[in-house]
Amino acid sequence: MKRSSDYHSIPDLAQLFSKEQSIGIFEKMCLCRYFELEVANAYEKSLIASPIYLSIGQESISAALSTVISNFTIFAQHRCHSAYLAFGGDQHKIVDELLGRPTGCAFGQGGSPMLQDPDIPMIGHHGLIGENIPLAVGYALGSTQPTLCLFGDAAAEEDYALTAMGFASKHQLPVLFVCEDNDLSILTPTEVRRNWEICDVAQALNMPAVDITDDPWLIAHHAQELIQSLPAFINCRTCRHYWHAGVGIDHEPEWDRLQLVKDQLKTLSINAQDIEEQTKQDIKGLWEKLLPKQLKI
Amino acid sequence: MGKTVAETIKDLTFDHLKNNNGLLLGQAITAVGYVNHTVPKNCPGIIELSMADVAGSGIAVGTALAGRRPILVIRFQDFLILNGSMLINYAAKSKDMFQQPSPIFVRALAIEGHGAGPVHSAKLHNIFMHFPGFRVWAPITPNEYKQTWTDFLEHDDPVISCEHRSSFSSRDEYANEIEPAADITLFGISVGRTNIIKAARTLRAEGITVNLVHIVQLKPLVLQQSWLEALSRSHCGLVVDTGFETCGAGQNIAYELMLKTNKPVQALGLKDVSVGVSGDKENLTPRPEQIVTAVKNRLRNRSGPMRSA
Ligand SMILES: Cc1ncc(C[n+]2csc(CCOP(=O)(O)OP(=O)(O)O)c2C)c(N)n1
Ligand SMILES: [Mg+2]
């Protein structure tokens, strides 16, 4: 089944990674998960005034990519907290941004969907779904530097998305396109919107492409290979746990990758619990420090 | 003999591509006359875009983010509606939002008449004046083009250069003509300016005194003191625009002039109907004779309410 936690998985793949690599991936997943749970908490307490787009459930994609990709300029989508955090975005600045402060990473102008960090470097998305695809392609053309472009399954349907990928193919530009395919456009499932697969289109556009589940070792494995022959495309089946915007939950996610990774770590004799606890505490401390005194959560 | 507008564009482009690490992007720019001989041949940095207009302008903006100061050629301004999405939504906002400028020079070509019709005759400078973040120019002489280009290099904002093909073979330069006291002050935009010059000849022959003001930089719009004084010393003003009159640049400029001087200022532009390919359906920039009629009506009704020609 295409939407499954083991779609196109490779048996025992995690064993081929070093302990350090596996721990690195898990640490980043925890960072994203527990950071966003604090975001949700702050949002519920009305400390965040603008809409938030949580990537809880989808963390493994950025976490895995960030461990195999370096020196790429990142063009993330609107649901960008995980990309920002996993690739090392300044944690103080994202908190400030969410709280609408001028000291935020987008100067309090953008909020949740418009994070940027010139030091990663990650270029800001301004909210028009799929805009980052042509922008990333142009950036790769102009800079000749490797570029990572993350977008959703609905963004891929934008008229300018596939055409920009076609341009990247024609000009053999160094772009890794990654679709964070949660099967939803707000709450409209893919099958209602189209009868084709992006992976097929990417292949038809003459670039190597894979369609896989969001197992981080699987993502890392393919990314490592595909960055040797850019442009390339990864469609990654994943689950968004929360609402499109905000903190509501409609139904249980089809799977929780963080839990599956923890199960896997056990088989690798890695103590996930300590890492998870430590990350949780660190992030709690950060938020406590940055929230206004009278508003501590 | 000086250079034509087309030669000026070609030389500035060549220098930018050759010596400034610039890029030139557009559709069908290296075929059929190389965009009216404004695109240099055999030059590095020229990228043919596919027919995907929205993606194409997004790609061009991406190269701007990468610091290449691209020139994007839009062969007919009608296509700016599609291309405009990435320009308006990203290029014009990125500096305010992210302190990450997207300096891109958009050569937006206009043409009218000759059967250009509904899909090749648009003049859309007003749309880009509307949005924060753009610098908008309408150069029609070699020096004005150089001024527009220098403005681009000296700033980091996206520039919309509204060009008119009928000016490309011209070497002419124009100066404002301001009398101590004139019956009317005529303001012109783009090729509306050559029409106000012709209209002024007729009017002057009939004893009507006329000031002529050439507006080249549309945004930021700087209403120069000498223009305001000229208008203040006239009975009234008239702005001739190449775009649609309704909600057009001409109307907006007329409004600004009225606020500053308390003088009635009318705007003339294209009629509020779609452009056709032949005869009076072509909906051209107000002709000199139409301007003459409008001026006479205005002066006849000097003390009365404002009335359209
Ligand atoms: C051009 C554009 N169209 C529509 C929207 C409204 N919108 C915001 S997010 C979204 C769904 C995007 O879905 P997807 O790309 O799959 O990303 P996801 O939210 O699932 O992560 C839509 C329709 C928008 N912001 N921009
Ligand atoms: Mg989606």
Side-chain angles (χ1 to χ4, degrees):
Chain A
M1 211 171 68
K2 282 176 183 166
R3 284 208 61 77
S4 65
S5 62
D6 59 358
Y7 184 52
H8 284 166
S9 58
I10 301 172
D12 302 324
L13 183 64
Q15 324 281 350
L16 303 181
F17 284 72
S18 71
K19 244 185 171 174
E20 290 69 38
Q21 280 175 304
S22 295
I23 289 172
I25 289 173
F26 182 63
E27 280 174 342
K28 291 198 169 176
M29 285 183 72
C30 287
L31 166 67
C32 299
R33 171 70 57 100
Y34 291 107
F35 191 95
E36 283 205 306
L37 285 173
E38 292 295 334
V39 176
N41 195 2
Y43 185 81
E44 279 183 317
K45 294 199 158 72
S46 302
L47 302 178
I48 297 175
S50 51
I52 54 166
Y53 302 85
L54 298 174
S55 38
I56 290 178
Q58 307 188 177
E59 306 91 344
S60 64
I61 303 173
S62 289
L65 291 171
S66 66
T67 57
V68 290
I69 281 177
S70 56
N71 300 324
F72 276 52
T73 299
I74 295 151
F75 285 77
Q77 58 160 329
H78 61 292
R79 198 174 302 290
C80 59
H81 299 175
S82 281
Y84 179 94
L85 292 165
F87 281 92
D90 186 310
Q91 294 177 13
H92 287 215
K93 286 187 177 171
I94 176 178
V95 176
D96 282 355
E97 186 62 30
L98 293 168
L99 296 174
R101 293 170 175 162
T103 42
C105 60
F107 314 100
Q109 279 263 106
S112 165
M114 300 170 201
L115 307 178
Q116 66 158 2
D117 190 336
D119 291 335
I120 299 180
M122 172 166 154
I123 310 267
H125 188 285
H126 115 289
L128 199 79
I129 295 306
E131 68 183 2
N132 53 324
I133 304 172
L135 292 173
V137 170
Y139 193 88
L141 173 73
S143 66
T144 65
Q145 296 302 308
T147 303
L148 169 66
C149 181
L150 295 153
F151 51 91
D153 50 288
E157 294 159 13
E158 283 289 2
D159 19 27
Y160 37 88
L162 300 176
T163 43
M165 286 170 65
F167 183 91
S169 174
K170 153 77 186 139
H171 292 270
Q172 288 297 291
L173 300 176
V175 188
L176 179 62
F177 299 98
V178 177
C179 179
E180 305 182 88
D181 183 350
N182 56 23
D183 196 34
L184 292 172
S185 173
I186 304 183
L187 206 52
T188 308
T190 311
E191 64 171 10
V192 177
R193 312 190 313 258
R194 57 174 147 94
N195 64 352
W196 47 270
E197 297 291 346
I198 312 155
C199 193
D200 294 341
V201 180
Q203 280 166 353
L205 292 170
N206 290 328
M207 63 175 86
V210 293
D211 194 353
I212 54 175
T213 192
D214 61 357
D215 172 339
W217 290 282
L218 189 62
I219 297 169
H221 164 79
H222 283 292
Q224 232 156 4
E225 216 159 77
L226 289 171
I227 56 176
Q228 308 305 322
S229 52
L230 297 175
F233 174 77
I234 301 176
N235 192 62
C236 207
R237 311 271 172 172
T238 189
C239 304
R240 189 189 79 204
H241 291 200
Y242 284 72
W243 277 351
H244 165 65
V247 296
I249 295 175
D250 282 317
H251 40 68
E252 278 299 297
E254 296 149 275
W255 65 88
D256 178 4
R257 182 56 66 184
L258 188 67
Q259 186 54 51
L260 295 175
V261 168
K262 282 195 272 184
D263 296 344
Q264 179 79 61
L265 290 176
K266 265 189 221 144
T267 69
L268 301 175
S269 311
I270 292 172
N271 183 349
Q273 211 179 346
D274 286 357
I275 298 171
E276 196 175 9
E277 254 333 291
Q278 186 60 51
T279 314
K280 229 190 270 188
Q281 290 317 317
D282 290 351
I283 289 165
K284 236 187 181 17
L286 173 82
W287 277 84
E288 296 234 321
K289 194 169 95 190
L290 292 178
L291 281 178
K293 291 255 170 324
Q294 67 280 20
L295 295 173
K296 292 277 156 68
I297 46 179
Chain B
M1 204 163 45
K3 286 178 193 163
T4 62
V5 171
E7 286 160 355
T8 306
I9 298 173
K10 187 162 65 177
D11 290 355
L12 289 171
T13 306
F14 182 80
D15 181 61
H16 187 55
L17 301 185
K18 191 103 200 299
N19 304 319
N20 203 15
N21 196 30
L23 287 175
L24 177 76
L25 305 98
Q27 298 170 345
I29 53 177
T30 53
V32 200
Y34 283 64
V35 193
N36 297 63
H37 308 289
T38 58
V39 169
K41 289 186 180 161
N42 306 322
C43 186
I46 299 182
I47 315 274
E48 275 289 349
L49 291 172
S50 78
M51 203 44 58
D53 282 81
V54 187
S57 60
I59 289 165
V61 174
T63 68
L65 289 169
R68 299 296 295 273
R69 285 199 168 255
I71 302 170
L72 173 65
V73 180
I74 308 291
R75 290 167 56 250
F76 296 94
Q77 285 188 26
D78 310 69
F79 314 152
L80 270 177
I81 301 284
L82 286 169
N83 283 270
S85 178
M86 294 291 165
L87 302 172
I88 292 166
N89 285 306
Y90 202 92
K93 292 182 196 167
S94 70
K95 188 165 128 184
D96 279 353
M97 290 204 47
F98 302 118
Q99 297 186 10
Q100 168 75 262
S102 307
I104 177 169
F105 188 86
V106 181
R107 288 189 52 206
L109 276 69
I111 191 170
E112 61 182 44
H114 313 288
V119 81
H120 291 104
S121 61
K123 273 88 77 186
L124 300 178
H125 43 282
N126 63 326
I127 295 183
F128 292 87
M129 291 165 69
H130 178 68
F131 291 103
F134 289 110
R135 304 177 77 79
V136 185
W137 289 71
I140 59 166
T141 78
N143 282 345
E144 290 167 4
Y145 204 93
K146 282 185 210 155
Q147 224 185 323
T148 306
W149 181 252
T150 305
D151 185 68
F152 172 60
L153 295 183
E154 286 177 350
H155 297 87
D156 54 12
D157 306 301
V159 168
I160 309 292
S161 171
C162 297
E163 305 171 8
H164 205 288
R165 287 179 200 240
S166 71
S167 73
F168 280 0
S169 57
S170 170
R171 294 183 167 82
D172 296 340
E173 298 291 341
Y174 305 107
N176 294 338
E177 297 173 25
I178 293 176
E179 313 254 353
D183 293 314
I184 191 163
T185 302
L186 299 181
F187 297 83
I189 299 170
S190 183
V191 295
R193 294 158 53 197
T194 51
N195 291 359
I196 62 171
I197 292 170
K198 288 179 193 145
R201 268 187 224 131
T202 310
L203 291 165
R204 284 168 181 157
E206 296 182 26
I208 296 170
T209 48
V210 177
N211 293 325
L212 294 180
V213 173
H214 296 267
I215 305 180
V216 185
Q217 185 176 3
L218 298 171
K219 188 171 189 181
L221 179 67
V222 183
L223 299 177
Q224 291 176 17
Q225 199 52 34
S226 60
W227 308 356
L228 296 174
E229 284 167 8
L231 177 59
S232 295
R233 293 193 306 265
S234 322
H235 291 292
C236 55
L238 177 72
V239 184
V240 176
D241 192 5
T242 51
F244 287 111
E245 195 172 298
T246 308
C247 293
Q251 283 192 347
N252 185 259
I253 292 170
Y255 168 84
E256 297 285 341
L257 289 166
M258 281 195 272
L259 279 186
K260 289 253 161 41
T261 61
N262 268 331
K263 291 285 179 178
V265 184
Q266 186 185 339
L268 271 190
L270 271 52
K271 293 194 264 318
D272 193 19
V273 291
S274 300
V275 180
V277 291
S278 58
D280 60 4
K281 299 254 177 7
E282 288 204 302
N283 205 358
L284 305 172
T285 297
R287 309 279 85 204
E289 15 347 318
Q290 290 170 296
I291 298 167
V292 168
T293 308
V295 170
K296 286 181 180 169
N297 279 342
R298 178 125 305 283
L299 292 176
R300 199 173 298 132
N301 294 291
R302 228 169 260 198
S303 51
M306 285 217 285
R307 195 160 74 84
S308 191

